[in-house]
């Protein structure tokens, strides 16, 4: 318990879990303060013994519990466990209580296999043993797009909402806190810039339009191609020179800066620019140009009524890259910079809003509407 103002309020301890392909990031928070954070690395020898990602469940759970024990953190003191949301059915944003329908979809890989699917499963297992609640927050499948935004021009290929929902939503709430207004009353354009880049139009608490940051559209990024000329792409696919997998690698993994400069490290690109590499300068400027252009598109989605623009993700640490973007878009609204992803913090914040009864946990699958 602690005093806030003149009110005695309960203090909460939360374990958050973010599984990745080669690591599991965990954190323990006392309210808003992180008291323990660790990235547990998994070697290829350790993970290769499991035929499917879901089969890593017990192995990863044990590494988490061992890390907590080694740090001297008692699981019995936890009030909730929150895992990274996986490739579930499209749902609206928010904090969801883990339930049987969610567990079934995570285990079967409803929208595909990914290490993030383990987050809710591990969180539920640990929480059930302690008789405390488990949650997920804003998975990548968050879908709040307006119907008009889904229309692509080809009926068989609707636009999809796949983006950095966890960080985008968390950053939008931080913008709201800085402006002293509720997130649900603001129009904010949030740009997450990492290995992939997504630009979302947040209208009164909902992301009504966003580019597909996986292999769909939008700016090119350090390793993704973004929007490319469709006719030329079709010609490449049917040229007989490439297998399907090779074309997909050109779009995701080997696209963007990687394709032009043979690196996906923005710091290396900036170093080349400082050393006078004009090609690196041109490609880096083009990526900033495309990001700014996408922000401009989202300002049109919001009817020009934009309260703030937020730049976040790993690329937001690059001052020169950020300035190239802000110089093009600061006429729309003030640009606020939030470097990094802070995913563990975002998971904790979503859990605390429910524990503090600031919002109700959502039930999966929640109808989109």
């Amino acid at each position: 318990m602690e005093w806030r103002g003149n009110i005695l309020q309960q203090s909460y301890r939360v374990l958050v879990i973010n599984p990745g392909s080669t690591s599991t990031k965990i954190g323990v928070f006392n309210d808003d303060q992180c008291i323990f954070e660790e990235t547990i690395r998994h070697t290829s020898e350790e993970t290769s013994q499991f035929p499917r990602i879901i089969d890593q469940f017990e192995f990863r759970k044990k590494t988490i519990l061992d890390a907590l024990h080694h740090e001297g953190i008692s699981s019995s003191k936890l009030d909730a466990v929150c895992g990274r949301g996986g490739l579930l059915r499209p749902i609206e944003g928010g904090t969801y209580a883990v339930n049987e329908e969610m567990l079934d979809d995570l285990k079967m890989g409803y929208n595909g296999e990914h290490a993030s699917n383990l987050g809710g499963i591990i969180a539920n297992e640990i929480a059930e043993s302690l008789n405390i609640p488990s949650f997920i927050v804003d998975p990548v499948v968050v879908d709040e797009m307006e119907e008009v935004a889904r229309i692509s021009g080809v009926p068989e290929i609707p636009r999809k909402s796949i983006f950095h929902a966890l960080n985008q939503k968390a950053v939008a709430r931080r913008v709201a806190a800085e402006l002293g207004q509720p997130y649900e009353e603001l129009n904010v354009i949030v740009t997450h810039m990492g290995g992939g880049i997504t630009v979302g139009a947040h209208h009164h608490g909902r992301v009504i339009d966003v580019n597909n940051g996986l292999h769909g559209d939008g700016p090119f990024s350090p390793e993704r191609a973004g929007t490319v000329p469709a006719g030329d792409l079709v010609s490449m696919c049917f040229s007989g020179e490439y297998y399907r997998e090779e074309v997909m690698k050109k779009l995701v993994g080997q696209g963007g800066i990687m394709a032009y400069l043979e690196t996906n490290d923005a710091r290396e690109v900036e170093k080349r620019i400082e050393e006078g590499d004009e090609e690196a300068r041109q490609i880096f400027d083009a990526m900033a140009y495309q990001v700014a252009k996408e922000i401009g598109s989202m300002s049109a989605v919001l009817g020009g009524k934009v309260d703030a623009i937020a730049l976040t993700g790993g690329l937001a640490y690059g001052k020169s890259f950020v300035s190239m973007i802000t110089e093009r878009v600061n006429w729309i609204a003030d640009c606020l910079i939030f470097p990094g992803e802070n995913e563990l913090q975002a998971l904790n914040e979503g859990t605390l809003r429910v524990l503090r009864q600031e919002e109700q946990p959502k039930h999966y699958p929640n109808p989109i509407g």
Side-chain angles (χ1 to χ4, degrees), residues 13 27 51 116 154 168 189 218 222 234 313 316 342:
R13 177 172 288 194
S116 60
V154 180
Q168 280 218 23
I189 298 172
V234 171
N342 303 309

Side-chain angles (χ1 to χ4, degrees), residues 14-17 80-84 119 123 134-137 347-348 351:
V14 178
L15 167 64
V16 296
I17 302 167
V81 186
C82 182
R84 178 72 183 271
S134 58
F135 304 98
I136 66 164
V137 180
L347 292 171
N348 179 61
T351 304

Side-chain angles (χ1 to χ4, degrees), residues 10-11 74 108 147 162 327:
Q10 182 174 345
S11 178
S74 172
M108 72 178 288
E147 289 307 311
I162 300 177
E327 286 171 5

Side-chain angles (χ1 to χ4, degrees), residues 131-278:
N131 197 28
I132 58 177
S134 58
F135 304 98
I136 66 164
V137 180
D138 291 327
V140 295
V141 293
V142 165
D143 186 344
E144 300 168 337
M145 287 172 62
E146 293 186 337
E147 289 307 311
V148 69
R150 301 182 194 279
I151 299 171
S152 69
V154 180
E156 297 87 350
I157 311 175
R159 294 184 67 240
K160 295 179 181 179
S161 176
I162 300 177
F163 71 112
H164 305 88
L166 180 63
N167 191 41
Q168 280 218 23
K169 287 275 190 176
V171 165
R173 290 182 181 277
R174 286 173 200 142
V175 169
E178 289 206 8
L179 298 181
Q181 298 183 56
Y183 170 47
E184 294 74 16
E185 294 180 9
L186 292 176
N187 284 347
V188 182
I189 298 172
V190 182
T191 302
H192 176 106
M193 306 180 298
I197 295 176
T198 56
V199 184
H202 296 241
H203 172 64
H204 294 183
R206 297 177 66 82
V207 185
I208 62 172
D209 199 353
V210 64
N211 65 293
N212 179 338
L214 182 57
H215 47 64
D217 49 13
F220 73 79
S221 75
E223 55 187 36
R224 298 175 195 176
T227 301
V228 297
D232 293 335
L233 178 61
V234 171
S235 296
M236 176 183 284
C237 291
F238 287 90
S239 67
E241 296 181 27
Y242 304 98
Y243 291 108
R244 180 183 185 277
E245 292 75 15
E246 291 175 310
V247 174
M248 287 302 297
K249 283 184 179 179
K250 285 182 173 292
L251 299 178
V252 183
Q254 299 295 321
I257 286 182
M258 187 71 184
Y260 288 101
L261 304 177
E262 298 183 341
T263 181
N264 60 5
D265 189 337
R267 292 167 299 183
E268 181 181 335
V269 176
E270 290 182 322
K271 183 180 178 182
R272 290 189 197 178
I273 293 171
E274 290 173 2
E275 294 171 350
D277 187 328
E278 285 304 314

Side-chain angles (χ1 to χ4, degrees), residues 263-333:
T263 181
N264 60 5
D265 189 337
R267 292 167 299 183
E268 181 181 335
V269 176
E270 290 182 322
K271 183 180 178 182
R272 290 189 197 178
I273 293 171
E274 290 173 2
E275 294 171 350
D277 187 328
E278 285 304 314
E279 182 186 14
R281 181 183 301 279
Q282 183 183 44
I283 299 306
F284 215 46
D285 184 58
M287 185 166 68
Y289 170 86
Q290 290 196 6
V291 171
K293 189 164 66 168
E294 192 73 14
I295 291 171
S297 296
M298 291 305 167
S299 71
V301 169
L302 296 172
K305 299 175 182 177
V306 182
D307 295 296
I309 297 167
L311 303 180
T312 183
L315 291 176
Y317 283 110
K319 292 183 179 179
S320 63
F321 183 67
V322 166
S323 67
M324 283 190 284
I325 297 170
T326 57
E327 286 171 5
R328 291 185 182 274
V329 302
N330 59 14
W331 59 272
I332 299 171

